[in-house]
Each structure stands twice: as structure tokens, then as C-alpha cells.
């Protein structure tokens, strides 16, 4: 929580323009939550990457960015998508999960992490005494890659400003990268997931931890224990227990 008052909304809009968002339209009285979103009452600890939006205005600003993403045709993924899967959860979340991209069910519903992998993620969140509506969930790319293939580097780059805007607006205290693709993209690394685990990084100033994607746990039960160990460390960080970190990214 900040001791000083938040900066004027004009400062944040100026910062978003630096990310490439020239036109953001805020509805009078704020935007209604998107499906699955619930605003929390407490503001998240701000990341040092940019000015923090006042808690009551984050949902409206996220909705404005989502509207722009919904019309995006920057990469080939836009050609066969059914919906743009922007993100879901609390705009004031302390914890943000970032996966690689939507699958078939996510493309149908317009929400990230639904279906079996989403159900398992919900259980992982509950295991650290939170609920899905308490966190924010996003992906590296917002449109489904054909056949659920990995997003290509140029596709991730085309979507990067949307993800950066989500991080800057939500201002989470911790980010969890779910899976190799998300971790490599966020950390600009080619290292295997096993080597990226076990270390604190920083993504746009936010402490970041790498763990397995829930879909990997469904394929290989041996990943469940290390994932739980990772999430215990994340829980402790949110509770203020210092486990040490190595700045990177």
C-alpha cells in the first residue's frame, strides 16, 4: 500500500500512450466488470515500472485496453480466432498469473484458463488461500494459436503492449509465469523451465516466479509437488516472508 496519494489519472494515461495506446475511452461511471472480474477493495502494491492507477479506475482502464485488443489484427492469429481472450480477475490483484495463450475452450468462452487446466489452476489458487476472483489471469498472446501450437516470437511481440498494459494497470505484487513458453517470453530467455524455476526474477519491476503450466500437471503428476513448492514460496512472498531474489528481466 502506498503512503502517498496516487498520481492523477492524466499521468497514467500519458504512460499508456508511451506503450502505444493513443485512444482510450472511459465510460461514464466506469466500465462494468467483464465476465469473471470482481474489483477488490484494497489497492495492490505498485510496481516501479510506471505510475499506479487509482484503484477505482483500473477496471475502466483495463476495459478500454481490452476494447482495443478486441479489434487487433496485428498478427496472423487474428485471422482464425473466435474471440480475443484478454484477461480476467480482480483489477486490484496482488497476484497475477500469466500463461502462454488461449486454447479451444478459452477461444469459445473468451476467458483464460477454463476447462480442465483452468479447474486445476483454480485448485492451485485455493491451495494458497485465494480465490480465482482475487487474482488476475492473462496470457502472452490473446488469440488462440492454431492447433494449440506455441505462440511464435512475432506473435508474442505483437501482443506485448497489451500484456505490459495489464501489468502496469493491475500493479500486482507478484507474477507467476505458468509454463516454459510464458517464462521464456517474459524473461527473454531460452533456458528450459527446470533451470528457470527456483529463482525470483523481476518483470517490469514485479517479483516473478516460474512454475509448471496446469496442463503439464494433467499430463504428468510428478510436476504437482514442485508446483506446490513454488506456490508455497509465492504465498510466503505475498504474506511478507522474504525468501530472497535475484533481479533480472
Amino acid at each position: 500500500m502506498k503512503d502517498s496519494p496516487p498520481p492523477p489519472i492524466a499521468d497514467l494515461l500519458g504512460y499508456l500512450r508511451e506503450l502505444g495506446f493513443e485512444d482510450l475511452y472511459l465510460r461514464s461511471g466506469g466500465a462494468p466488470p467483464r465476465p469473471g472480474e470482481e474489483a477488490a477493495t484494497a489497492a495492490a502494491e505498485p510496481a516501479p515500472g510506471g505510475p499506479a492507477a487509482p484503484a477505482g479506475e483500473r477496471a475502466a482502464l483495463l476495459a478500454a485496453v481490452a476494447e482495443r485488443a478486441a479489434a487487433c489484427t496485428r498478427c496472423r492469429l487474428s485471422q482464425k480466432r473466435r474471440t480475443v481472450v484478454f484477461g480476467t480477475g480482480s483489477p486490484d490483484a496482488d497476484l497475477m498469473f500469466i500463461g502462454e495463450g488461449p486454447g479451444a475452450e478459452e477461444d469459445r468462452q473468451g476467458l483464460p484458463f477454463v476447462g480442465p487446466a483452468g479447474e486445476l489452476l483454480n485448485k492451485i489458487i485455493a491451495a494458497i488461500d485465494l480465490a480465482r476472483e482475487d487474482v488476475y489471469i492473462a496470457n502472452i498472446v490473446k488469440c488462440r494459436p492454431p492447433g494449440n501450437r506455441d505462440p511464435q516470437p512475432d506473435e508474442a511481440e505483437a501482443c506485448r503492449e497489451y500484456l505490459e498494459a495489464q501489468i502496469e494497470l493491475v500493479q500486482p505484487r507478484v507474477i507467476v509465469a505458468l509454463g516454459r513458453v510464458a517464462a521464456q517470453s517474459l524473461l527473454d530467455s531460452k533456458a528450459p523451465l527446470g533451470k528457470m524455476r527456483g529463482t525470483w526474477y523481476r518483470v517490469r519491476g514485479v517479483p516473478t516466479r516460474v512454475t509448471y503450466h496446469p496442463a503439464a500437471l494433467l499430463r504428468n503428476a510428478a510436476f504437482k509437488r514442485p508446483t506446490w513448492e513454488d506456490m508455497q514460496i509465492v504465498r510466503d512472498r505475498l504474506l511478507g516472508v522474504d525468501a530472497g531474489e535475484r533481479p533480472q528481466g
Side-chain angles (χ1 to χ4, degrees), residues 55-131:
E57 296 173 345
R58 293 178 192 172
L61 288 166
L62 281 166
V65 177
E67 282 191 17
R68 176 166 172 165
C72 182
T73 57
R74 291 180 178 177
C75 77
R76 66 187 72 86
L77 295 183
S78 65
Q79 298 171 5
K80 295 185 177 181
R81 72 183 179 218
R82 182 173 300 181
T83 58
V84 170
V85 183
F86 182 70
T88 188
S90 170
D92 308 311
D94 284 341
L95 177 60
M96 176 182 283
F97 289 94
I98 300 176
E100 60 185 74
E105 190 60 32
E106 287 82 2
D107 186 44
R108 279 191 288 270
Q109 295 191 33
L111 293 170
F113 283 91
V114 294
E119 292 175 6
L120 183 52
L121 179 60
N122 292 346
K123 293 178 181 178
I124 291 170
I125 294 169
I128 58 170
D129 302 319
L130 293 171

